[in-house]
């Protein structure tokens, strides 16, 4: 049986041990990194990894920088687990390429729910490639081409590196092309959690990051359009 592998990156050994015990009891293979540089080195070495749980406040290289460096080489899902709870901290985390965010102290149930959701979304396209192959796996909007099976995105022939969450958002929009997608529907289908008003900030940051990567001019989007007072739409 193949177990999903999770890296815990935190300078607090007590936090690392608590998380290791919790996740190991759920059947995950867990490794620890006591600082950001160690985590980056392991990712750059090509070691297989299904999820990174990452603190922000660490000496030397903080979690936001770690995430940005990891994103240069890997699309592994990144869950920020941190005591920093300000909206600006979340914006920094998502902008660096983070997929989800959980504030300490945390609920074990909520942590495991997020872990399972992120890993499932990261791996699910491998589970049924035959079904994807029955249909065209390619989606095109403007000069952006999306391959659903390989989860690859190109613009003008150049690869665009999206996080797992960014890809899921883009795919959801493309599956509802021409429709106005409301925040509630987007959040509950992509994040898999009940919508709460504060989730609109999370959505907004991810949409902004997507526009920076997909649009010629993120300030004048032509792909992901805002329908004021209603939501977003891809035509």
């Amino acid at each position: 049986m193949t177990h999903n592998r999770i890296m815990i990156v935190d300078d607090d050994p007590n936090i690392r041990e608590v998380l290791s015990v919790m996740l190991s009891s759920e059947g995950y293979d867990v490794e620890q990194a006591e600082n950001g540089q160690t985590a980056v080195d392991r990712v750059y070495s090509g070691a297989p990894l299904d999820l990174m749980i990452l603190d922000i406040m660490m000496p030397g290289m903080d979690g936001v920088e770690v995430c940005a460096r990891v994103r240069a080489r890997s699309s592994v899902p990144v869950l920020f687990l941190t005591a920093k709870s300000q909206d600006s901290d979340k914006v920094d985390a998502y902008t660096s390429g983070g997929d989800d965010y959980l504030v300490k102290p945390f609920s074990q149930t909520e942590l495991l729910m997020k872990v399972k959701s992120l890993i499932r979304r990261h791996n699910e396209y491998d589970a049924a490639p035959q079904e994807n192959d029955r249909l065209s796996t390619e989606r095109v909007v403007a000069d952006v081409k999306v391959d659903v099976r390989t989860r690859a995105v190109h613009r003008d022939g150049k690869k665009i590196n999206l996080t797992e969450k960014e890809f899921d958002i883009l795919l959801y929009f493309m599956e509802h092309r021409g429709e106005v997608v409301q925040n509630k529907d987007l959040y509950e289908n992509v994040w898999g959690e009940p919508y709460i008003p504060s989730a609109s900030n999370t959505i907004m940051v991810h949409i902004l990051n997507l526009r920076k990567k997909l649009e010629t001019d993120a300030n004048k989007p032509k792909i992901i359009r805002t329908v004021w007072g209603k939501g977003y739409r891809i035509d």
Side-chain angles (χ1 to χ4, degrees), residues 205-216:
V205 172
H206 279 82
I207 296 296
L208 177 59
N209 289 340
L210 263 175
R211 283 173 169 165
K212 288 179 178 178
K213 295 178 179 181
L214 299 177
E215 305 278 0
T216 303

Side-chain angles (χ1 to χ4, degrees), residues 7-211:
M7 181 189 291
I8 300 167
V9 189
D10 198 306
D11 64 311
D12 186 335
N14 294 321
I15 291 291
R16 295 200 308 270
E17 188 59 28
V18 167
L19 290 173
S20 293
V21 171
M22 183 188 306
L23 294 169
S24 295
S25 69
E26 293 292 321
Y28 296 107
D29 287 336
V30 180
E31 65 175 290
Q32 302 181 20
E34 67 278 8
N35 58 60
Q37 188 62 60
T38 298
V40 171
D41 290 344
R42 290 183 185 175
V43 171
Y44 278 32
S45 73
L49 196 62
D50 297 290
L51 177 68
M52 177 181 287
I53 298 178
L54 180 61
D55 189 21
I56 289 182
M57 295 185 293
M58 294 185 293
M61 188 187 305
D62 69 15
V64 172
E65 184 179 354
V66 171
C67 187
R69 293 194 180 191
V70 166
R71 279 289 164 262
R73 294 287 186 90
S74 173
S75 62
V76 60
V78 175
L79 169 61
F80 278 93
L81 181 62
T82 175
K84 295 175 75 66
S85 59
Q86 299 297 314
D87 285 345
S88 59
D89 300 319
K90 296 178 182 180
V91 169
D92 289 342
Y94 286 130
T95 301
S96 70
D99 293 280
D100 212 337
Y101 198 100
L102 187 59
V103 177
K104 301 173 185 176
F106 57 90
S107 155
Q108 177 176 338
T109 299
E110 186 176 10
L111 173 68
L112 291 175
M113 179 180 66
K114 288 181 179 293
V115 166
K116 292 175 182 177
S117 176
L118 287 169
I119 290 178
R120 184 184 69 250
R121 290 181 180 277
H122 181 58
N123 295 328
E124 66 183 357
Y125 74 96
D126 284 330
Q130 294 86 0
E131 182 173 346
N132 284 331
D133 286 340
R134 289 193 299 109
L135 305 172
S136 171
T137 65
E138 188 175 278
R139 305 285 187 273
V140 179
V141 56
D143 56 354
V144 175
K145 184 182 298 183
V146 178
D147 190 308
V148 176
R149 185 177 64 83
T150 64
R151 296 172 72 88
V153 180
H154 292 80
R155 186 180 66 191
D156 285 338
K158 297 181 180 179
K159 185 176 181 181
I160 301 174
N161 293 318
L162 300 184
T163 67
E164 294 294 321
K165 195 71 70 179
E166 289 167 355
F167 184 90
D168 289 338
I169 293 170
L170 177 59
L171 183 58
Y172 188 81
F173 279 136
M174 299 189 95
E175 289 175 343
H176 295 80
R177 192 166 182 169
E179 304 174 20
V180 176
V181 175
Q182 298 181 354
N183 280 352
K184 181 177 185 296
D185 293 331
L186 182 63
Y187 192 79
E188 292 184 350
N189 281 278
V190 172
W191 274 262
E193 302 173 10
Y195 176 78
I196 54 177
S198 61
S200 61
N201 292 330
T202 298
I203 293 172
M204 180 178 64
V205 172
H206 279 82
I207 296 296
L208 177 59
N209 289 340
L210 263 175
R211 283 173 169 165

